[in-house]
Amino acid sequence: MFATIGYYICIPFAWLVRLFYNLADNYGLALILFTLVIKLIMLPFQIKSKKSMVRMSRMSGKMQEIQKKYANNQAKMNEEVQRLYMEEGVNPMSGCLWSFLPLPILMALYSIIRQPITHFMMLGQDVLTQLVDTVSKAGISMDKIVMMKDGVMQMKDGIPLMQPYGQIELVHTISTQIPEAAANIDGWMNVNYNFLGLNLSSTPSSAFTSFAFEWAVIGLILIPILSGGFQFVMSKVAMAGTPNANQGPNKMMILMMPLFSVYIAFIMPAALGVYWIAQSAFSIVQEVIMNKFFNQKIEEEEAAKFEAKQADRKRRMEEAKKLQEQQKQEAAKKLTLKEKQELAHEAKLAKATKGARTNEAGRVGDRPYARGRAYVEDRYDKEV
């Protein structure tokens, strides 16, 4: 079941490699062009992942403050971390998810390179059996193509048991020694594995069995070394700006990935090493550009947020100031109105008092009398 699924996964990638091989007529160049196109296809996903990683690296200071502040309260720490992620618009899983995309592509390409007849040319098992018989009858050594026991080809259900890299060795043998053997097979391609004077169907480990100071041998050995070197540079560039990049798991990743690249490129066909070198080289360029772009963009966003906060703070201060002035003016208006009411009341009292007054001649004690002649107490006691 898994073999069938893997076969169908290989179909679009095999079509793409065949397309570039037909255009370039060079297997190594076809792999480089394939790598470039795959990088461009994956670019939107990697942009999203890179943006998230850059944001997380820039908020590491805030993360450390939260971890230090809530060191004794794990639940509160997790709550504050999640709140920080929401405020910054960061999904911590988005950076990890897309980083696994190159793995299935690598596995599919490995199958295409290792099994060029069934996974690159998409020919059937019957064609493979036919070609094995043709090469065997031609008197060519089959030790590197099929499994042999006591000089006899091993079979299972009538199908020859192939060596791990038997198909690629078979295609190389036919293409270089008896190309006419497959001339009438529909879909067959006499693949030229020569790239820069190197045989990409060979494994670099085989160069030590017949070592010689020749470019064909030295070049094969350099492929794993270059793949490890480019992988190391790519890891360093990818980790640039990441807190504690040279400590703990990050340091282990930077050291282990190049060593893994050297090992894989050493034991597998050189064609896969060419892909690995091209993939790392394109990734270095991509990481440098994206690091610069997103750091600058995020700095601009943070500056814009700061300016917006300052503008909002200034606006709120001005509104508070206007409100305070308005309250003062209203208080002043209320005081003036009260004073007017008091003045009006005093004026009313003054008017009432003025209307009730008489002169001193018409008053007895405090009692006012009507206007008239002046009161004389002994007026009628005088003799006439």
Side-chain angles (χ1 to χ4, degrees):
M1 178 180 177
F2 290 106
T4 303
I5 295 174
Y7 175 82
Y8 285 110
I9 291 176
C10 289
I11 291 176
F13 298 113
W15 177 87
L16 197 59
V17 176
R18 287 200 307 271
L19 172 65
F20 290 126
Y21 181 79
N22 290 328
L23 291 174
D25 194 27
N26 186 290
Y27 197 70
L29 186 57
L31 290 175
I32 294 173
L33 293 175
F34 168 83
T35 308
L36 178 60
V37 170
I38 292 298
K39 293 295 290 184
L40 293 176
I41 293 173
M42 293 176 59
L43 186 60
F45 307 105
Q46 292 178 333
I47 285 176
K48 184 177 180 180
S49 173
K50 187 63 180 180
K51 185 177 181 180
S52 179
M53 291 178 65
V54 171
R55 284 190 180 278
M56 289 189 66
S57 66
R58 293 183 67 90
M59 57 187 272
S60 61
K62 296 179 181 179
M63 290 283 290
Q64 291 176 359
E65 290 179 2
I66 292 174
Q67 292 171 357
K68 183 178 180 181
K69 184 176 181 179
Y70 302 103
N72 298 323
N73 190 340
Q74 188 66 37
K76 183 63 175 178
M77 181 191 299
N78 294 335
E79 180 182 343
E80 290 297 315
V81 168
Q82 291 299 323
R83 185 182 62 80
L84 179 62
Y85 284 150
M86 293 181 63
E87 290 178 354
E88 297 293 335
V90 173
N91 182 0
M93 295 303 297
S94 63
C96 301
L97 179 62
W98 303 114
S99 62
F100 291 103
L101 274 178
L103 184 60
I105 297 173
L106 177 64
M107 295 175 65
L109 185 61
Y110 171 66
S111 297
I112 292 169
I113 292 173
R114 188 175 72 89
Q115 300 168 290
I117 297 175
T118 56
H119 289 67
F120 174 57
M121 304 176 199
M122 295 296 170
L123 301 176
Q125 193 69 42
D126 55 334
V127 175
L128 176 61
T129 303
Q130 174 188 340
L131 293 173
V132 169
D133 291 338
T134 301
V135 173
S136 178
K137 291 176 181 178
I140 298 174
S141 174
M142 304 295 291
D143 293 338
K144 294 182 179 180
I145 298 175
V146 297
M147 294 184 179
M148 305 290 291
K149 185 177 182 180
D150 299 328
V152 179
M153 187 185 307
Q154 299 296 295
M155 307 286 287
K156 183 179 181 180
D157 298 329
I159 299 174
L161 295 176
M162 305 296 293
Q163 293 283 1
Y165 302 117
Q167 281 198 33
I168 192 172
E169 186 67 30
L170 178 61
V171 172
H172 176 66
T173 300
I174 294 175
S175 300
T176 56
Q177 299 184 40
I178 47 173
E180 66 282 356
N184 297 324
I185 298 176
D186 188 25
W188 174 263
M189 301 173 67
N190 284 318
V191 182
N192 179 15
Y193 286 105
N194 181 58
F195 178 65
L196 301 177
L198 305 176
N199 178 15
L200 298 185
S201 67
S202 300
T203 58
S205 60
S206 65
F208 290 98
T209 59
S210 56
F211 181 80
F213 286 99
E214 299 175 354
W215 170 245
V217 176
I218 302 298
L220 282 178
I221 297 174
L222 285 176
I223 286 178
I225 297 173
L226 289 175
S227 66
F230 276 95
Q231 180 66 43
F232 177 77
V233 175
M234 193 271 286
S235 299
K236 292 289 287 185
V237 172
M239 293 290 182
T242 302
N244 303 321
N246 295 320
Q247 299 178 6
N250 291 331
K251 184 177 181 180
M252 184 66 67
M253 183 69 68
I254 292 175
L255 295 177
M256 291 301 297
M257 284 304 296
L259 294 177
F260 178 73
S261 301
V262 171
Y263 174 73
I264 293 297
F266 186 73
I267 64 173
M268 294 185 178
L272 193 67
V274 170
Y275 163 77
W276 206 299
I277 293 171
Q279 198 271 342
S280 297
F282 290 137
S283 296
I284 291 170
V285 176
Q286 175 181 292
E287 289 292 329
V288 169
I289 294 175
M290 288 200 300
N291 278 340
K292 183 177 181 180
F293 174 77
F294 282 119
N295 277 305
Q296 181 177 353
K297 184 175 181 180
I298 291 174
E299 285 178 0
E300 292 175 355
E301 290 177 357
E302 290 177 350
K305 287 181 180 179
F306 178 76
E307 291 178 359
K309 288 182 179 179
Q310 291 296 102
D312 183 65
R313 180 172 176 270
K314 183 178 180 181
R315 177 184 59 79
R316 287 187 283 109
M317 290 178 64
E318 290 177 352
E319 289 178 354
K321 186 177 180 180
K322 288 180 180 179
L323 180 62
Q324 188 177 8
E325 290 293 332
Q326 184 178 358
Q327 291 174 346
K328 288 181 178 180
Q329 291 176 2
E330 290 178 356
K333 289 180 180 179
K334 290 180 180 179
L335 181 63
T336 302
L337 179 61
K338 185 176 180 180
E339 289 178 349
K340 287 182 178 179
Q341 290 175 346
E342 291 178 353
L343 290 174
H345 182 66
E346 291 176 358
K348 186 176 180 181
L349 291 176
K351 184 177 181 181
T353 303
K354 181 178 180 182
R357 288 178 180 175
T358 60
N359 55 24
E360 292 301 324
R363 178 185 298 275
V364 176
D366 292 332
R367 181 179 177 183
Y369 284 82
R371 294 181 180 277
R373 61 183 181 179
Y375 172 75
V376 178
E377 184 176 1
D378 57 349
R379 176 184 299 276
Y380 298 102
D381 292 337
K382 293 181 179 181
E383 293 180 0
V384 178

